[in-house]
C-alpha cells in the first residue's frame, strides 16, 4: 500500500508518498480501506514539527486524524462492524464516553498514533463509527475533528437557548460547521471573515450578520450593536492571541467563549480583570468523544446537514492541499481523495 509520511526537517515539502506493507487486523481490530481524509489546522502544525504536548515532534509520522473508509476485514472478536461497512475514524481512538482525561488525550490519530493518511489502516473497533448514508465519502471525512469540535462547543459545553447570539470567527472548517449547527438549532448567528465573497457564502448557509474584520478590526462593536449592546451569548474563538481581546469585548456578561484554535497567531492578549468584570467563561475545546460524535451524526441525518467541502486533491498531492490551507484559500474543508 501507499502512505503519507513526513519527518525532520519537517515542512510541507517533506510530505512524501511512500510504500509500506499491507497491514492485517489483530483481535479487536478492523482493517479499513481509506476513501478520503480531510485537513485540519492541526495537521499543518504537525507536518511543520510544531505540534505535540511537549511543543515539538519527534520521528516520522503518518498524518491525518479525519478519514472515511470501507471495512475490508475484521479481526477476532470484532462485533461493531462487518466487511463492507462505511466508517469514520475517531480523532481520539480511546475516548468513548465521559469527560476528557490525559489517558484519552494520548490516543489521538496522527500523533501519537499513526494517522489515517494511508490506503489501508487498522484501527481498534472502538475507534470507528458508522456514518450517515446520505453523505459522500468526502463529506464524511470532514466530521471527526472540525464538525465534532463545533458540536461539542455549542451543545455539550455551552448552555444556549434558541434565539441566543452565536459568533463564529472566520470561515474555516470548525466555524462553518458551527454556523450550520447554530442555524439548525435556531440561534442567531454572526460570522466574521476578511473576504466579502466568503461572507456571502456564509449568508447562504444561514448567517444573520456578516462582519469583514479587515474593514472593521474592532469587530466587537458590530457584535454589540447587533445585540443591543448586550453582547454575544457564545463566541467560537479560533484565532487565539490575535483575536481574544475582541472576543472579550464582544461577549455578554456571563457569556461563553470556546477556545478552539490559534490561527491568528500571537496578539496583545487580554486583561484578566476583563474576565472578572463580565463573569464570562473561557473554555478550551479539543474535539470530543465517540458518544458525542454519534449524537452529532444523528442530528446531521435529521437536519440533512451537508458539510462544506471546498477543495479536493488526490492524496498524492497532499503538498498542494497543505499550501492551499496555509494560504487561507478555503471556505469550509479541504479533502484528500484516495
Amino acid at each position: 500500500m501507499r502512505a503519507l509520511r513526513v519527518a525532520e526537517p519537517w515542512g510541507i515539502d517533506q510530505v512524501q508518498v511512500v510504500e509500506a506493507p499491507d497491514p492485517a487486523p489483530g483481535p479487536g481490530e478492523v482493517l479499513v480501506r481509506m476513501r478520503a481524509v480531510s485537513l485540519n489546522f492541526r495537521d499543518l502544525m504537525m507536518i511543520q514539527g510544531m505540534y505535540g504536548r511537549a511543543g515539538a515532534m519527534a520521528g516520522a509520522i503518518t498524518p491525518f486524524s479525519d478519514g472515511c473508509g470501507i471495512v475490508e476485514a475484521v479481526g477476532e472478536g470484532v462485533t461493531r462492524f462487518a466487511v463492507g461497512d462505511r466508517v469514520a475514524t475517531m480523532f481520539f481512538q480511546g475516548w468513548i464516553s465521559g469527560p476528557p482525561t490525559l489517558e484519552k488525550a494520548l490516543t489521538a490519530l496522527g500523533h501519537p498514533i499513526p494517522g489515517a493518511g494511508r490506503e489501508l489502516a487498522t484501527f481498534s473497533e472502538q475507534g470507528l463509527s458508522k456514518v450517515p448514508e446520505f453523505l459522500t465519502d468526502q463529506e464524511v471525512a470532514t466530521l471527526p475533528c472540525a464538525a465534532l469540535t463545533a458540536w461539542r462547543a455549542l451543545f455539550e459545553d455551552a448552555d444556549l437557548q434558541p434565539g441566543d447570539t452565536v459568533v463564529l470567527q472566520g470561515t474555516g472548517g470548525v466555524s462553518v460547521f458551527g454556523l450550520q449547527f447554530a442555524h439548525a438549532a435556531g440561534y442567531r448567528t454572526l460570522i466574521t471573515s476578511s473576504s466579502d465573497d466568503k461572507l456571502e457564502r456564509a449568508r447562504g448557509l444561514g448567517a444573520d450578520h456578516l462582519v469583514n474584520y479587515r474593514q472593521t478590526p474592532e469587530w466587537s462593536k458590530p457584535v454589540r450593536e447587533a445585540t443591543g449592546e448586550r453582547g454575544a451569548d457564545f463566541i467560537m474563538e479560533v484565532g487565539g492571541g490575535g483575536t481574544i481581546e475582541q472576543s472579550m469585548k464582544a461577549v455578554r456578561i456571563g457569556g461563553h467563549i470556546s477556545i478552539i484554535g490559534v490561527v491568528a497567531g500571537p496578539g496583545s492578549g487580554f486583561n484578566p480583570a476583563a474576565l472578572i468584570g463580565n463573569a464570562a467563561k473561557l473554555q478550551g475545546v479539543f474535539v470530543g468523544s465517540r458518544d458525542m460524535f454519534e449524537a452529532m451524526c444523528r442530528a446531521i441525518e435529521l437536519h440533512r446537514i451537508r458539510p462544506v467541502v471546498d477543495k479536493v486533491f488526490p492524496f498524492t498531492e497532499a503538498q498542494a492541499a497543505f499550501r492551499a490551507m496555509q494560504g487561507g484559500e478555503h471556505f469550509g474543508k479541504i479533502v484528500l481523495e484516495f
Side-chain angles (χ1 to χ4, degrees), residues 265-298:
S268 59
F270 68 94
N271 183 348
L275 183 62
I276 299 170
N278 65 12
K281 178 190 289 185
L282 272 67
Q283 181 167 358
V285 180
F286 62 122
V287 202
S289 68
R290 193 185 76 200
D291 279 359
M292 295 178 198
F293 181 89
E294 292 174 349
M296 175 189 73
C297 284
R298 291 192 292 271

CSV table of all heavy atoms in Angstrom, one decimal, residues 265-298:
chain,number,residue,atom,x,y,z
A,265,GLY,N,-2.5,33.7,15.3
A,265,GLY,CA,-1.1,33.9,15.9
A,265,GLY,C,-1.2,34.7,17.2
A,265,GLY,O,-2.2,35.0,17.8
A,266,PRO,N,0.0,35.2,17.6
A,266,PRO,CA,0.1,35.9,18.9
A,266,PRO,C,-0.6,37.3,18.8
A,266,PRO,O,-0.7,37.9,17.7
A,266,PRO,CB,1.6,36.0,19.2
A,266,PRO,CG,2.2,36.0,17.8
A,266,PRO,CD,1.3,35.0,17.0
A,267,GLY,N,-1.0,37.8,19.9
A,267,GLY,CA,-1.6,39.1,19.9
A,267,GLY,C,-1.3,39.8,21.3
A,267,GLY,O,-0.4,39.4,22.0
A,268,SER,N,-2.0,40.8,21.6
A,268,SER,CA,-1.8,41.6,22.8
A,268,SER,C,-2.3,40.9,24.0
A,268,SER,O,-2.1,41.3,25.1
A,268,SER,CB,-2.4,43.0,22.7
A,268,SER,OG,-3.8,42.9,22.4
A,269,GLY,N,-3.2,39.9,23.8
A,269,GLY,CA,-3.8,39.2,24.9
A,269,GLY,C,-4.9,40.0,25.5
A,269,GLY,O,-5.4,40.9,24.9
A,270,PHE,N,-5.3,39.7,26.8
A,270,PHE,CA,-6.3,40.5,27.4
A,270,PHE,C,-6.0,40.6,28.9
A,270,PHE,O,-5.3,39.8,29.5
A,270,PHE,CB,-7.7,39.8,27.2
A,270,PHE,CG,-7.8,38.5,27.9
A,270,PHE,CD1,-8.4,38.4,29.1
A,270,PHE,CD2,-7.4,37.3,27.3
A,270,PHE,CE1,-8.6,37.2,29.8
A,270,PHE,CE2,-7.5,36.1,28.0
A,270,PHE,CZ,-8.1,36.0,29.2
A,271,ASN,N,-6.7,41.6,29.4
A,271,ASN,CA,-6.5,41.9,30.9
A,271,ASN,C,-7.4,40.9,31.6
A,271,ASN,O,-8.7,40.9,31.4
A,271,ASN,CB,-6.9,43.3,31.1
A,271,ASN,CG,-6.7,43.7,32.6
A,271,ASN,OD1,-6.5,42.9,33.4
A,271,ASN,ND2,-6.8,45.0,32.9
A,272,PRO,N,-6.9,40.1,32.5
A,272,PRO,CA,-7.8,39.2,33.3
A,272,PRO,C,-8.9,39.9,34.0
A,272,PRO,O,-9.9,39.3,34.3
A,272,PRO,CB,-6.8,38.5,34.3
A,272,PRO,CG,-5.5,38.6,33.6
A,272,PRO,CD,-5.5,39.9,32.8
A,273,ALA,N,-8.7,41.1,34.4
A,273,ALA,CA,-9.7,41.9,35.0
A,273,ALA,C,-11.0,42.0,34.2
A,273,ALA,O,-12.1,42.0,34.7
A,273,ALA,CB,-9.2,43.3,35.4
A,274,ALA,N,-10.8,42.0,32.9
A,274,ALA,CA,-12.0,42.0,32.0
A,274,ALA,C,-12.8,40.7,32.1
A,274,ALA,O,-14.1,40.8,32.1
A,274,ALA,CB,-11.6,42.2,30.5
A,275,LEU,N,-12.2,39.6,32.3
A,275,LEU,CA,-12.8,38.3,32.5
A,275,LEU,C,-13.6,38.4,33.8
A,275,LEU,O,-14.8,37.9,33.9
A,275,LEU,CB,-11.8,37.2,32.6
A,275,LEU,CG,-12.4,35.8,32.7
A,275,LEU,CD1,-13.3,35.5,31.5
A,275,LEU,CD2,-11.3,34.8,32.8
A,276,ILE,N,-13.0,38.9,34.9
A,276,ILE,CA,-13.7,39.0,36.1
A,276,ILE,C,-14.9,40.0,36.0
A,276,ILE,O,-16.0,39.7,36.5
A,276,ILE,CB,-12.8,39.5,37.2
A,276,ILE,CG1,-11.6,38.5,37.4
A,276,ILE,CG2,-13.5,39.8,38.5
A,276,ILE,CD1,-10.5,39.1,38.3
A,277,GLY,N,-14.7,41.1,35.3
A,277,GLY,CA,-15.7,42.1,35.2
A,277,GLY,C,-17.0,41.7,34.4
A,277,GLY,O,-18.1,42.1,34.8
A,278,ASN,N,-16.8,40.7,33.5
A,278,ASN,CA,-18.1,40.3,32.8
A,278,ASN,C,-18.4,38.9,33.1
A,278,ASN,O,-19.4,38.3,32.5
A,278,ASN,CB,-18.0,40.5,31.2
A,278,ASN,CG,-16.9,39.6,30.6
A,278,ASN,OD1,-16.4,38.7,31.2
A,278,ASN,ND2,-16.6,39.9,29.4
A,279,ALA,N,-17.7,38.2,34.0
A,279,ALA,CA,-18.1,36.9,34.5
A,279,ALA,C,-18.3,35.9,33.4
A,279,ALA,O,-19.0,35.0,33.5
A,279,ALA,CB,-19.3,37.0,35.4
A,280,ALA,N,-17.5,36.1,32.3
A,280,ALA,CA,-17.6,35.2,31.2
A,280,ALA,C,-16.8,33.9,31.5
A,280,ALA,O,-15.9,33.8,32.3
A,280,ALA,CB,-17.1,35.8,29.9
A,281,LYS,N,-17.2,32.8,30.7
A,281,LYS,CA,-16.5,31.6,30.9
A,281,LYS,C,-15.6,31.4,29.6
A,281,LYS,O,-16.1,31.5,28.5
A,281,LYS,CB,-17.5,30.4,31.0
A,281,LYS,CG,-16.8,29.1,31.1
A,281,LYS,CD,-17.8,27.9,30.9
A,281,LYS,CE,-18.6,27.8,32.2
A,281,LYS,NZ,-19.5,26.6,32.1
A,282,LEU,N,-14.3,31.1,29.8
A,282,LEU,CA,-13.4,30.7,28.7
A,282,LEU,C,-13.1,29.2,28.9
A,282,LEU,O,-12.7,28.8,30.0
A,282,LEU,CB,-12.1,31.5,28.8
A,282,LEU,CG,-12.0,32.8,28.1
A,282,LEU,CD1,-12.9,33.8,28.7
A,282,LEU,CD2,-10.6,33.3,28.0
A,283,GLN,N,-13.4,28.4,27.9
A,283,GLN,CA,-13.2,27.0,28.0
A,283,GLN,C,-12.5,26.5,26.8
A,283,GLN,O,-12.9,26.7,25.6
A,283,GLN,CB,-14.5,26.3,28.1
A,283,GLN,CG,-14.4,24.8,28.2
A,283,GLN,CD,-15.6,24.1,28.7
A,283,GLN,OE1,-16.6,24.7,28.9
A,283,GLN,NE2,-15.6,22.8,28.8
A,284,GLY,N,-11.4,25.8,27.0
A,284,GLY,CA,-10.6,25.1,25.9
A,284,GLY,C,-11.4,23.9,25.4
A,284,GLY,O,-12.1,23.2,26.2
A,285,VAL,N,-11.4,23.7,24.1
A,285,VAL,CA,-12.1,22.6,23.5
A,285,VAL,C,-11.2,21.8,22.6
A,285,VAL,O,-10.6,22.4,21.7
A,285,VAL,CB,-13.3,23.1,22.7
A,285,VAL,CG1,-14.1,21.9,22.0
A,285,VAL,CG2,-14.3,23.9,23.5
A,286,PHE,N,-11.0,20.5,22.8
A,286,PHE,CA,-10.3,19.7,21.9
A,286,PHE,C,-11.1,18.5,21.5
A,286,PHE,O,-11.1,17.5,22.2
A,286,PHE,CB,-8.9,19.3,22.4
A,286,PHE,CG,-8.8,18.5,23.7
A,286,PHE,CD1,-8.2,17.3,23.7
A,286,PHE,CD2,-9.4,19.0,24.9
A,286,PHE,CE1,-8.1,16.5,24.9
A,286,PHE,CE2,-9.4,18.2,26.0
A,286,PHE,CZ,-8.7,17.0,26.0
A,287,VAL,N,-11.9,18.7,20.5
A,287,VAL,CA,-12.7,17.6,19.8
A,287,VAL,C,-13.6,17.0,20.8
A,287,VAL,O,-14.2,17.8,21.6
A,287,VAL,CB,-11.8,16.6,19.1
A,287,VAL,CG1,-12.6,15.8,18.0
A,287,VAL,CG2,-10.6,17.3,18.5
A,288,GLY,N,-13.8,15.7,20.9
A,288,GLY,CA,-14.8,15.1,21.7
A,288,GLY,C,-14.8,13.6,21.7
A,288,GLY,O,-13.9,13.0,21.1
A,289,SER,N,-15.8,13.0,22.3
A,289,SER,CA,-15.8,11.5,22.5
A,289,SER,C,-16.6,10.9,21.3
A,289,SER,O,-17.3,11.5,20.6
A,289,SER,CB,-16.5,11.2,23.8
A,289,SER,OG,-17.9,11.5,23.8
A,290,ARG,N,-16.5,9.5,21.3
A,290,ARG,CA,-17.3,8.8,20.3
A,290,ARG,C,-18.8,9.0,20.5
A,290,ARG,O,-19.6,9.1,19.6
A,290,ARG,CB,-16.9,7.3,20.3
A,290,ARG,CG,-17.5,6.5,19.1
A,290,ARG,CD,-17.2,5.1,19.2
A,290,ARG,NE,-18.1,4.4,20.2
A,290,ARG,CZ,-17.8,3.3,20.8
A,290,ARG,NH1,-16.7,2.6,20.5
A,290,ARG,NH2,-18.7,2.7,21.6
A,291,ASP,N,-19.2,9.0,21.8
A,291,ASP,CA,-20.6,9.2,22.1
A,291,ASP,C,-21.1,10.6,21.5
A,291,ASP,O,-22.2,10.7,21.0
A,291,ASP,CB,-20.9,9.2,23.6
A,291,ASP,CG,-21.0,7.8,24.2
A,291,ASP,OD1,-20.9,6.8,23.4
A,291,ASP,OD2,-21.1,7.6,25.4
A,292,MET,N,-20.3,11.6,21.7
A,292,MET,CA,-20.6,12.9,21.1
A,292,MET,C,-20.7,12.8,19.6
A,292,MET,O,-21.6,13.4,19.0
A,292,MET,CB,-19.6,14.0,21.6
A,292,MET,CG,-19.5,14.3,23.0
A,292,MET,SD,-18.2,15.5,23.4
A,292,MET,CE,-18.0,15.3,25.1
A,293,PHE,N,-19.8,12.2,19.0
A,293,PHE,CA,-19.8,12.0,17.5
A,293,PHE,C,-21.1,11.4,17.0
A,293,PHE,O,-21.7,11.8,16.1
A,293,PHE,CB,-18.6,11.2,17.1
A,293,PHE,CG,-18.4,11.0,15.6
A,293,PHE,CD1,-17.7,11.9,14.9
A,293,PHE,CD2,-19.0,9.9,15.0
A,293,PHE,CE1,-17.6,11.8,13.5
A,293,PHE,CE2,-18.9,9.8,13.6
A,293,PHE,CZ,-18.2,10.7,12.8
A,294,GLU,N,-21.5,10.3,17.7
A,294,GLU,CA,-22.7,9.6,17.2
A,294,GLU,C,-24.0,10.4,17.5
A,294,GLU,O,-24.9,10.4,16.7
A,294,GLU,CB,-22.7,8.2,17.9
A,294,GLU,CG,-21.6,7.4,17.4
A,294,GLU,CD,-21.4,6.0,18.0
A,294,GLU,OE1,-22.1,5.8,19.1
A,294,GLU,OE2,-20.7,5.2,17.5
A,295,ALA,N,-24.0,11.2,18.5
A,295,ALA,CA,-25.1,12.1,18.7
A,295,ALA,C,-25.1,13.2,17.6
A,295,ALA,O,-26.2,13.5,17.1
A,295,ALA,CB,-25.0,12.8,20.1
A,296,MET,N,-24.0,13.7,17.3
A,296,MET,CA,-23.9,14.7,16.2
A,296,MET,C,-24.3,14.1,14.9
A,296,MET,O,-25.1,14.8,14.1
A,296,MET,CB,-22.4,15.1,16.1
A,296,MET,CG,-22.1,16.1,14.9
A,296,MET,SD,-20.4,16.4,14.7
A,296,MET,CE,-19.9,14.8,13.9
A,297,CYS,N,-24.0,12.9,14.6
A,297,CYS,CA,-24.4,12.3,13.3
A,297,CYS,C,-25.9,12.1,13.3
A,297,CYS,O,-26.5,12.2,12.2
A,297,CYS,CB,-23.7,10.9,13.1
A,297,CYS,SG,-21.9,11.1,12.6
A,298,ARG,N,-26.5,11.8,14.4
A,298,ARG,CA,-28.0,11.7,14.4
A,298,ARG,C,-28.6,13.0,14.0
A,298,ARG,O,-29.6,13.1,13.3
A,298,ARG,CB,-28.5,11.2,15.8
A,298,ARG,CG,-28.1,9.8,16.1
A,298,ARG,CD,-28.9,9.2,17.3
A,298,ARG,NE,-28.5,9.9,18.5
A,298,ARG,CZ,-27.5,9.4,19.3
A,298,ARG,NH1,-26.8,8.4,18.9
A,298,ARG,NH2,-27.2,10.0,20.4
